[in-house]
């Protein structure tokens, strides 16, 4: 290597190219020897897919016909027919693939042949019922509207997966929503698991204020 004629980046690219050429040569040698190429294993299936579900901006209005597309993520890699549906309920942030590709619920779903789904909450992530989050538009960000979103989505999943049982899962505010949706729609939602969910409202919760060392 001539340090005066090639920089570090070019050197790395050159070494990677040489490696790819050597791999190709080895494959052709194997082909000449055995009469068939040695092919690499097929790539694994994608961990999840992104999908959209159409929801009304206002579930309770008889005149407002506006709708919006709500994002959800799906992991069907371990799904078997009639397997359970595990739905992670997003709280006050966008949903991420890690919610349905790792963790305790993922392990249970994998062992039971279940499908894993993460439902984003309205006004968070890419699920926007209105062009902005102005004060006037936030009138549609209520517990009642979000729980109605979950209920309608659960009905859709029941049809999509042949009446399979639906188990909701959520953390913090998402856990609250999971429990409230289960209470509101017990004929559709079969169970709910809430982690660190502040279900009991406290007017003055001073426990949040002391410093922790």
């Amino acid at each position: 290597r001539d340090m005066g004629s090639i920089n570090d980046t070019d050197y790395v690219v050159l070494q990677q190219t040489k490696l790819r050429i050597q791999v190709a040569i080895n494959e052709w040698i194997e082909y000449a020897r055995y009469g068939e190429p040695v092919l690499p294993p097929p790539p694994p299936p994608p961990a999840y897919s992104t999908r959209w579900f159409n929801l009304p901006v206002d579930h309770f209005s008889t005149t407002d016909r506006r709708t919006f597309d709500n994002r959800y993520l799906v992991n069907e890699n371990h799904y078997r027919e009639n397997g359970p549906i595990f739905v992670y309920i997003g709280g006050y942030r966008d949903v991420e693939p890690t919610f349905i590709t790792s963790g305790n619920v993922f392990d249970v779903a994998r062992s039971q042949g279940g499908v894993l789904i993460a439902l984003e909450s309205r006004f968070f992530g890419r699920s926007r019922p209105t062009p902005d989050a102005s004060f006037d538009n936030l009138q549609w960000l209520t517990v009642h509207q979000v729980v109605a979103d979950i209920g309608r989505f659960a009905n859709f999943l029941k049809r999509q997966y042949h009446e399979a049982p639906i188990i909701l899962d959520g953390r913090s505010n998402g856990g609250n929503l999971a429990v409230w949706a289960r209470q509101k729609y017990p004929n559709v939602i079969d169970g709910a698991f809430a982690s660190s969910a502040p279900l009991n409202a406290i007017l003055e919760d001073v426990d949040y204020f002391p410093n922790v060392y």
Side-chain angles (χ1 to χ4, degrees), residues 194-211:
S195 175
S196 302
L199 287 165
N200 296 322
I202 301 175
L203 184 61
E204 295 184 15
D205 190 356
V206 297
D207 290 337
Y208 281 99
F209 291 102
N211 292 323

Side-chain angles (χ1 to χ4, degrees), residues 71-103:
R71 185 169 71 118
Y72 67 101
L73 310 180
V74 181
N75 179 354
E76 295 179 327
N77 290 338
H78 306 287
Y79 173 66
R80 297 191 299 268
E81 188 174 358
N82 299 321
I85 307 166
F86 295 91
V87 183
Y88 178 86
I89 302 300
Y92 35 73
R93 56 177 296 187
D94 54 341
V95 293
E96 299 177 355
T98 53
F99 298 151
I100 57 172
T101 56
S102 61

Side-chain angles (χ1 to χ4, degrees), residues 83-125:
I85 307 166
F86 295 91
V87 183
Y88 178 86
I89 302 300
Y92 35 73
R93 56 177 296 187
D94 54 341
V95 293
E96 299 177 355
T98 53
F99 298 151
I100 57 172
T101 56
S102 61
N104 294 335
V105 177
F106 169 80
D107 292 337
V108 174
R110 180 171 53 181
S111 68
Q112 299 299 315
V115 58
L116 291 130
I117 295 172
L119 177 65
E120 198 163 63
S121 184
R122 60 168 57 204
F123 282 98
F124 294 94

